Every structure is written in C-alpha cells, then in structure tokens.
Amino acid sequence: VVYRRRAGSPPAAPEPSREPAERPAAPLPARKPRAQAPQPPPAEHAARAAPAAPTASDQDIASWYAEALEHCHGDRQPEALRAVERILDTRPFHVRGRVLQAYLYGSRGEFWSAVAECTKALDIDPLWAQAYLLLGMLLEQQGEVDSALLEVKRALFLDPDLPLGYFTLGKLYRSLGMPQAAAREFANTARLLESRPGIALAGDIPVEFDRTVLLQLANKQVDGATER
C-alpha cells in the first residue's frame, strides 16, 4: 500500500541511516619500556688506579741537579744516581738528567744502559750536542771508532764550544791513522782553552780532569805530531 502525503502537511523526517555508526578507534596498547641491557657486575678485584706521578718545582729540579753534580765531582756515584733518579721520576723528559744518568752508567761500566740514556735524551731533544758527545765517547771506549767519529762531529756541529769534543776528535783521527787531522783537532782544543779560560770542558758532562790538564795534553799531542 502506498501512502501519499497529504497536501500542506510537513515533510516527513528522513529516516535514520541504517548503516552502522563508526566505532571509535580502540586505543593502541601502551608501549612497554625497553628493557635495559644488563650491566656487568663490578669486578671483585678491580685494579687500583696508578698513583699520580710526584710533582716538583723548577727550583726543586735545579737543586737536585746541582746536588747530583756535586756528588759526581766528589766521586759519590750512588748518591749522584739517586739524585738524578729523583729528577727523572718527576720530569722524565729532563734532558740534562738523562745525559747525566748516561754518564753515571758509563762510569760504572754499564755501556748499553748509558747508550740507552743518550738515545732517550736525543729522542727528547735531537739537537742536544752534549748527548752526541757523550755517545761518541762511549763508542770510543768500545773501539767503535767510525761511529764515535760521526757522533762527535755531530756534537761539534751543534756546539763548537766543547773543548773535550775536539780533543776526542783528535784521538779518533789518530786511531784512524790520520796524524795531520789529529794534530789539527788537538790544536783546536788548545786554542779554545787558551782563548776561553772559563769555558766548560764538556758542557754539563762531568770531567775527571780540569782545564789545565786538558790543555797540557792537547799541547803535548800537537808537539808530538809536529815532531813526526
């Protein structure tokens, strides 16, 4: 049966849609916190941190170095070595301390230890002339004439004010059978000593004899070469 709307009657309200209403979106499940990686348990016997190196002022270092030199000149090598070790314990890159320790090792006949200290000194400062001179003198004692000659020449190139360097060079030339070259270097030794009365014989390297003895030795060698 079809019902007709009467004329003048208000339109019928639209029928509600029969489609199902959208359901509200379900909330996402809460994200679980990420599990942290398990931390390793602390070692039961962890190594203790190394103690900090002792410190010393420049004045302390200078005082210990002067003390070491004083012991060297007094032929108290154990005391001198202890003073140098105090320096190097606090200042491992102290070049003068390394060279002095090399000298002390050489005086005790510890050739390789002395050479090692010279090498360390030159690693710190490749232009430290006294380290080359001491290395050359050590090599001369071992009969390594050619190597010694090279090191002493390096020393004198860097510092021409080393009387003992010229004297050592003269001895090396004499060992190589070169008397004229030897006489020239002995003469250079005497000339430097006479013109510079207060000059140190080998810089900071302790020397067992004084200026007068070295001058006499140099002049004697020059006279001997001239007579030949």
Side-chain angles (χ1 to χ4, degrees):
V1 179
V2 178
Y3 295 93
R4 298 180 180 274
R5 178 173 61 85
R6 290 181 183 181
S9 60
E15 296 183 0
S17 174
R18 295 179 181 273
E19 296 181 1
E22 292 185 3
R23 296 180 181 178
L28 296 176
R31 183 174 297 175
K32 295 181 180 180
R34 182 178 297 177
Q36 295 182 353
Q39 300 295 323
E44 296 181 1
H45 304 287
R48 295 182 179 179
T55 58
S57 66
D58 292 343
Q59 186 176 0
D60 291 333
I61 298 297
S63 176
W64 295 340
Y65 187 79
E67 178 186 345
L69 286 177
E70 184 179 353
H71 286 312
C72 285
H73 294 307
D75 200 21
R76 298 183 296 272
Q77 293 186 4
E79 291 83 354
L81 195 56
R82 281 195 293 270
V84 173
E85 287 171 350
R86 290 179 69 186
I87 296 172
L88 297 179
D89 284 344
T90 55
R91 301 276 181 91
F93 300 104
H94 193 270
V95 184
R96 284 186 170 89
R98 289 289 172 195
V99 174
L100 188 55
Q101 190 169 51
Y103 167 81
L104 290 168
Y105 282 149
S107 298
R108 295 167 54 173
E110 300 178 20
F111 170 74
W112 290 112
S113 296
V115 169
E117 290 302 317
C118 286
T119 303
K120 290 178 184 177
L122 291 171
D123 287 341
I124 298 168
D125 187 348
L127 302 180
W128 199 259
Q130 296 167 34
Y132 288 111
L133 175 58
L134 182 56
L135 183 56
M137 293 165 64
L138 290 167
L139 292 169
E140 179 202 6
Q141 294 175 5
Q142 297 296 313
E144 300 289 339
V145 178
D146 291 331
S147 298
L149 187 70
L150 177 63
E151 302 300 340
V152 176
K153 282 184 175 181
R154 286 173 174 168
L156 292 172
F157 176 79
L158 293 169
D159 184 358
D161 294 334
L162 295 170
L164 191 57
Y166 294 105
F167 188 80
T168 304
L169 204 59
K171 291 193 298 179
L172 292 168
Y173 279 132
R174 185 179 59 192
S175 299
L176 291 171
M178 304 171 64
Q180 293 181 348
R184 181 187 67 238
E185 300 307 331
F186 290 133
N188 287 335
T189 306
R191 188 179 304 111
L192 185 57
L193 290 171
E194 290 170 348
S195 62
R196 303 274 298 279
I199 194 171
L201 301 185
D204 294 331
I205 301 173
V207 180
E208 298 176 357
F209 43 83
D210 60 11
R211 170 187 174 278
T212 303
V213 173
L214 184 60
L215 181 57
Q216 291 174 350
L217 291 172
N219 284 326
K220 183 177 179 181
Q221 295 298 330
V222 172
D223 294 339
T226 304
E227 292 175 357
R228 294 187 190 122

